[in-house]
Amino acid sequence: MKRRYRKYFIESLLSSDDAIGIKEFWKKYTIKDAIFNVASAWADLSVSNLKNGWNKLWPDIIPCESEETEPVSVEEIVQLCNNGLHSEILSTKEVTDWLENDKQDGGFEILNDEQIILNVTAVEEEEIDEDVEDSGLDLKPLTSHSEAEAMLSKCIDWFEVQEESNATQVLLLRQIRNIAAKKARESKNQTKITDFFL
Protein backbone atom coordinates (compact mmCIF):
# COMPACT_ATOMS: atom_id res chain seq x y z
CA MET A 1 0.00 0.00 0.00
CA LYS A 2 2.78 2.41 0.97
CA ARG A 3 4.71 1.77 -2.23
CA ARG A 4 1.59 2.30 -4.30
CA TYR A 5 1.02 5.62 -2.51
CA ARG A 6 4.59 6.69 -3.18
CA LYS A 7 4.22 5.76 -6.83
CA TYR A 8 1.17 8.04 -7.09
CA PHE A 9 3.10 10.75 -5.22
CA ILE A 10 5.95 10.55 -7.75
CA GLU A 11 3.45 10.69 -10.61
CA SER A 12 1.95 13.83 -9.04
CA LEU A 13 5.41 15.38 -8.77
CA LEU A 14 6.26 14.53 -12.37
CA SER A 15 2.95 15.85 -13.66
CA SER A 16 3.34 19.17 -11.84
CA ASP A 17 4.38 22.29 -13.73
CA ASP A 18 7.96 21.97 -15.01
CA ALA A 19 8.71 25.55 -13.96
CA ILE A 20 8.31 24.78 -10.26
CA GLY A 21 10.94 22.91 -8.32
CA ILE A 22 10.56 20.11 -5.82
CA LYS A 23 10.42 22.50 -2.85
CA GLU A 24 7.59 24.48 -4.45
CA PHE A 25 5.78 21.23 -5.22
CA TRP A 26 6.02 20.25 -1.54
CA LYS A 27 4.58 23.61 -0.54
CA LYS A 28 1.62 23.14 -2.88
CA TYR A 29 1.08 19.45 -2.00
CA THR A 30 -1.95 19.50 0.28
CA ILE A 31 -3.52 17.02 2.65
CA LYS A 32 -6.33 16.69 0.10
CA ASP A 33 -3.79 15.64 -2.56
CA ALA A 34 -2.34 13.10 -0.15
CA ILE A 35 -5.81 11.72 0.65
CA PHE A 36 -6.65 11.27 -3.02
CA ASN A 37 -3.30 9.55 -3.62
CA VAL A 38 -4.04 7.24 -0.68
CA ALA A 39 -7.51 6.55 -2.14
CA SER A 40 -5.97 5.72 -5.52
CA ALA A 41 -3.43 3.41 -3.87
CA TRP A 42 -6.19 1.76 -1.83
CA ALA A 43 -8.28 1.24 -4.99
CA ASP A 44 -5.34 -0.65 -6.54
CA LEU A 45 -5.32 -3.24 -3.74
CA SER A 46 -7.07 -6.51 -4.46
CA VAL A 47 -9.19 -8.49 -2.01
CA SER A 48 -6.53 -11.19 -1.93
CA ASN A 49 -3.90 -8.58 -0.94
CA LEU A 50 -6.02 -7.64 2.04
CA LYS A 51 -6.77 -11.23 3.02
CA ASN A 52 -3.15 -12.30 2.69
CA GLY A 53 -2.09 -9.29 4.76
CA TRP A 54 -3.47 -11.10 7.80
CA ASN A 55 -0.90 -13.90 7.43
CA LYS A 56 1.68 -12.04 9.53
CA LEU A 57 -0.83 -11.43 12.33
CA TRP A 58 -2.64 -14.77 12.15
CA PRO A 59 -0.42 -17.38 10.45
CA ASP A 60 -2.88 -20.26 11.02
CA ILE A 61 -5.46 -18.73 8.70
CA ILE A 62 -5.84 -20.37 5.29
CA PRO A 63 -4.34 -18.09 2.60
CA CYS A 64 -6.60 -16.78 -0.13
CA GLU A 65 -6.01 -18.48 -3.48
CA SER A 66 -7.46 -15.78 -5.70
CA GLU A 67 -5.44 -13.71 -8.14
CA GLU A 68 -3.08 -11.30 -6.47
CA THR A 69 -1.96 -8.07 -8.07
CA GLU A 70 1.77 -7.59 -8.21
CA PRO A 71 3.22 -5.12 -5.73
CA VAL A 72 4.92 -2.00 -6.99
CA SER A 73 8.57 -2.91 -7.48
CA VAL A 74 11.57 -0.75 -6.67
CA GLU A 75 12.61 -1.00 -10.33
CA GLU A 76 9.25 0.40 -11.45
CA ILE A 77 9.69 3.43 -9.18
CA VAL A 78 13.32 3.89 -10.32
CA GLN A 79 12.17 3.86 -13.95
CA LEU A 80 9.35 6.31 -13.20
CA CYS A 81 11.76 8.71 -11.45
CA ASN A 82 14.40 8.46 -14.15
CA ASN A 83 11.86 9.11 -16.94
CA GLY A 84 10.77 12.35 -15.27
CA LEU A 85 12.27 15.75 -15.94
CA HIS A 86 12.64 16.77 -12.28
CA SER A 87 15.39 14.44 -11.15
CA GLU A 88 18.84 13.23 -11.88
CA ILE A 89 19.40 9.55 -12.66
CA LEU A 90 18.64 7.65 -9.46
CA SER A 91 20.07 4.32 -8.41
CA THR A 92 18.07 1.40 -7.04
CA LYS A 93 19.77 1.89 -3.66
CA GLU A 94 18.66 5.55 -3.46
CA VAL A 95 15.04 4.65 -4.19
CA THR A 96 15.15 1.72 -1.75
CA ASP A 97 16.55 4.03 0.94
CA TRP A 98 13.72 6.50 0.23
CA LEU A 99 11.09 3.75 0.47
CA GLU A 100 12.56 2.55 3.78
CA ASN A 101 13.42 5.94 5.34
CA ASP A 102 10.23 6.39 7.30
CA LYS A 103 10.65 3.38 9.56
CA GLN A 104 12.14 5.66 12.23
CA ASP A 105 10.33 8.85 11.17
CA GLY A 106 7.22 9.99 13.02
CA GLY A 107 5.91 11.54 9.80
CA PHE A 108 5.20 14.98 11.16
CA GLU A 109 6.94 18.21 12.08
CA ILE A 110 6.31 19.97 15.36
CA LEU A 111 5.53 23.66 14.78
CA ASN A 112 4.62 26.37 17.24
CA ASP A 113 1.59 28.63 16.71
CA GLU A 114 3.57 31.41 14.99
CA GLN A 115 5.13 29.00 12.46
CA ILE A 116 1.71 27.54 11.63
CA ILE A 117 0.22 31.01 11.06
CA LEU A 118 3.16 32.03 8.83
CA ASN A 119 2.86 28.85 6.75
CA VAL A 120 -0.90 29.21 6.28
CA THR A 121 -0.82 32.91 5.34
CA ALA A 122 2.04 32.35 2.88
CA VAL A 123 0.07 29.63 1.07
CA GLU A 124 -3.05 31.82 0.85
CA GLU A 125 -1.06 34.72 -0.65
CA GLU A 126 0.49 32.41 -3.26
CA GLU A 127 -2.94 31.07 -4.25
CA ILE A 128 -4.29 34.61 -4.76
CA ASP A 129 -1.29 35.54 -6.94
CA GLU A 130 -1.73 32.38 -9.06
CA ASP A 131 -5.46 33.08 -9.57
CA VAL A 132 -4.65 36.54 -10.94
CA GLU A 133 -1.98 35.14 -13.31
CA ASP A 134 -4.13 32.22 -14.53
CA SER A 135 -7.18 34.32 -15.44
CA GLY A 136 -6.59 34.21 -19.24
CA LEU A 137 -7.11 30.94 -21.16
CA ASP A 138 -5.87 30.41 -24.71
CA LEU A 139 -8.19 27.86 -26.35
CA LYS A 140 -7.01 26.01 -29.46
CA PRO A 141 -8.91 23.66 -31.76
CA LEU A 142 -6.75 20.69 -30.71
CA THR A 143 -6.10 20.21 -27.04
CA SER A 144 -2.68 18.95 -26.00
CA HIS A 145 -2.17 16.56 -23.10
CA SER A 146 -0.72 19.36 -20.95
CA GLU A 147 -3.67 21.62 -21.68
CA ALA A 148 -6.10 18.80 -20.90
CA GLU A 149 -4.36 18.26 -17.56
CA ALA A 150 -4.61 21.96 -16.71
CA MET A 151 -8.29 22.13 -17.72
CA LEU A 152 -9.13 19.01 -15.74
CA SER A 153 -7.39 20.50 -12.69
CA LYS A 154 -9.59 23.60 -13.00
CA CYS A 155 -12.63 21.37 -13.47
CA ILE A 156 -11.78 19.49 -10.28
CA ASP A 157 -11.39 22.78 -8.37
CA TRP A 158 -14.81 23.90 -9.63
CA PHE A 159 -16.57 20.60 -8.99
CA GLU A 160 -15.28 20.21 -5.43
CA VAL A 161 -17.21 23.30 -4.27
CA GLN A 162 -20.51 22.26 -5.89
CA GLU A 163 -23.39 20.84 -3.82
CA GLU A 164 -23.63 17.77 -6.05
CA SER A 165 -19.96 16.89 -5.53
CA ASN A 166 -18.98 13.69 -3.77
CA ALA A 167 -15.63 12.02 -3.11
CA THR A 168 -16.16 9.20 -5.61
CA GLN A 169 -16.79 11.60 -8.49
CA VAL A 170 -13.84 13.81 -7.51
CA LEU A 171 -11.60 10.73 -7.34
CA LEU A 172 -12.76 9.72 -10.83
CA LEU A 173 -11.98 13.21 -12.18
CA ARG A 174 -8.55 13.07 -10.54
CA GLN A 175 -7.88 9.69 -12.17
CA ILE A 176 -8.82 11.14 -15.57
CA ARG A 177 -6.53 14.12 -14.92
CA ASN A 178 -3.73 11.70 -13.98
CA ILE A 179 -4.15 9.96 -17.36
CA ALA A 180 -3.69 13.32 -19.12
CA ALA A 181 -0.68 14.10 -16.90
CA LYS A 182 0.93 10.75 -17.68
CA LYS A 183 0.42 11.26 -21.43
CA ALA A 184 1.85 14.79 -21.17
CA ARG A 185 4.88 13.44 -19.32
CA GLU A 186 5.40 10.64 -21.82
CA SER A 187 5.14 13.03 -24.78
CA LYS A 188 8.01 15.08 -23.31
CA ASN A 189 10.32 12.07 -23.04
CA GLN A 190 12.86 11.74 -25.79
CA THR A 191 12.51 8.61 -27.93
CA LYS A 192 15.41 6.22 -27.40
CA ILE A 193 17.02 4.49 -30.34
CA THR A 194 16.20 1.12 -28.78
CA ASP A 195 12.48 1.98 -29.01
CA PHE A 196 12.68 1.57 -32.78
CA PHE A 197 13.81 -2.06 -32.51
CA LEU A 198 11.49 -4.84 -31.41
Side-chain angles (χ1 to χ4, degrees), residues 9 11 42 60 79 96 98 107 128 131 147 159 165-166 187:
F9 172 78
E11 287 177 348
W42 181 260
D60 297 336
Q79 183 180 5
T96 303
W98 177 65
I128 291 170
D131 290 342
E147 291 171 329
F159 187 66
S165 171
N166 68 44
S187 67

Side-chain angles (χ1 to χ4, degrees), residues 36-83:
F36 278 108
N37 284 342
V38 167
S40 297
W42 181 260
D44 283 351
L45 288 178
S46 67
V47 173
S48 60
N49 285 132
L50 296 174
K51 287 182 179 178
N52 289 333
W54 283 95
N55 289 341
K56 290 182 182 178
L57 299 173
W58 192 2
D60 297 336
I61 196 168
I62 299 170
C64 178
E65 296 181 9
S66 61
E67 265 186 42
E68 190 169 328
T69 58
E70 293 185 22
V72 176
S73 67
V74 174
E75 290 76 24
E76 186 177 350
I77 294 177
V78 169
Q79 183 180 5
L80 183 63
C81 289
N82 290 338
N83 285 340

Side-chain angles (χ1 to χ4, degrees), residues 13 23 27 56 67 103 111 119 141 144 146 184-185 198:
L13 172 64
K23 287 184 180 180
K27 289 178 184 177
K56 290 182 182 178
E67 265 186 42
K103 287 187 177 179
L111 300 174
N119 286 341
S144 70
S146 299
R185 210 174 41 252
L198 297 176

